[in-house]
Amino acid sequence: MVMKCQRVLMMQNDRKIAQILDAALPVFVRFGFRKTSMADIARAAGISRASLYLSFNSKEELFRAGSMRAHTRALDEVGAVLAGQGNTFDRMEMAIAVFQRELIAPFGGSSDAEELFAANMALAADITLDARTRLLTMLTQTLNAAAETKEIDLEPLQASPVQLANIMMAAMDGIKHAQWNGSSLDDDTKLFMRLLRVAVTPRSGQ
């Protein structure tokens, strides 16, 4: 009976945390990190400030928890997409779209996007860098498998799977920053993937 009550309390707490983090994201997007207050987040979550402080000691702790949740959710979905069936480039394009949708696109409409990304690197750099390492590993493994089955040919580029995966990551960074100047995150990513597909697709007769 005691264990059952503990499980119920844990589930209720998990739901409360999710409620807070879901409410916090649009508040950060609207006001930026510096101008957002715990009172703003509590109001958006429909709870009191006292209740909010029972879950998070500070705005910084809450922001870090949100970053961890977003990165974990994104990478789980990316892994599932890359492990699926079908054309390698279709799967990689879908995986990158998931990564961008979860971690970049939510901030695209914010005038404080650069500040929010800077806050993330200041408060959750370890989470972000670990996620990038995991994404790089997954892309490298996917490219390596495609090269082994001759679905792609890296010889013309004189590149290894890990080098190509690193180029993809660098392109994603560049495209992310270009969108603040009016470029389309989705369109630019699709263009890059088309160029990459042309570069490594085996020529007929090979």
Side-chain angles (χ1 to χ4, degrees):
M1 182 67 177
V2 173
M3 291 183 64
K4 183 177 180 180
C5 290
Q6 289 176 336
R7 285 198 298 270
V8 170
L9 288 172
M10 288 177 64
M11 289 174 62
Q12 290 175 338
N13 187 57
D14 288 345
R15 284 196 294 268
K16 179 184 176 184
I17 294 296
Q19 174 188 348
I20 292 170
L21 295 180
D22 285 341
L25 177 58
V27 177
F28 282 124
V29 169
R30 180 179 179 185
F31 297 115
F33 179 79
R34 184 176 59 83
K35 293 180 181 178
T36 294
S37 68
M38 290 290 271
D40 293 328
I41 295 170
R43 186 162 45 250
I47 60 177
S48 66
R49 284 184 63 198
S51 181
L52 177 59
Y53 276 106
L54 288 175
S55 297
F56 297 101
N57 293 322
S58 66
K59 177 175 66 173
E60 289 76 13
E61 182 183 328
L62 189 156
F63 190 90
R64 180 178 167 83
S67 181
M68 172 64 82
R69 180 173 181 247
H71 280 90
T72 299
R73 185 164 53 189
L75 286 172
D76 285 347
E77 193 170 347
V78 165
V81 169
L82 290 176
Q85 302 296 315
N87 179 274
T88 294
F89 271 94
D90 290 342
R91 286 185 285 120
M92 287 196 300
E93 188 170 320
M94 288 174 58
I96 290 172
V98 166
F99 195 82
Q100 292 175 327
R101 183 191 71 217
E102 294 292 331
L103 301 173
I104 299 174
F107 305 106
S110 174
S111 59
D112 298 295
E114 291 286 4
E115 184 216 11
L116 289 168
F117 282 116
N120 184 68
M121 290 308 296
L123 299 171
D126 57 325
I127 296 170
T128 301
L129 294 176
D130 179 66
R132 288 177 62 85
T133 299
R134 290 176 59 192
L135 178 60
L136 177 65
T137 298
M138 287 190 282
L139 290 174
T140 300
Q141 291 172 342
T142 302
L143 289 165
N144 189 59
E148 288 180 350
T149 60
K150 307 300 183 184
E151 185 180 353
I152 64 174
D153 181 12
L154 300 181
E155 283 298 322
L157 297 181
Q158 297 184 339
S160 66
V162 69
Q163 287 175 318
L164 198 57
N166 269 305
I167 291 294
M168 293 174 67
M169 298 285 288
M172 288 170 62
D173 284 338
I175 291 169
K176 175 184 73 175
H177 290 290
Q179 72 169 320
W180 314 145
N181 297 320
S183 295
S184 166
L185 182 70
D186 185 56
D187 290 346
D188 288 354
T189 300
K190 287 181 177 178
L191 173 58
F192 172 75
M193 292 303 293
R194 288 198 300 272
L195 292 170
L196 193 59
R197 188 190 296 249
V198 169
V200 300
T201 296
R203 302 294 185 265
S204 58
Q206 287 187 335

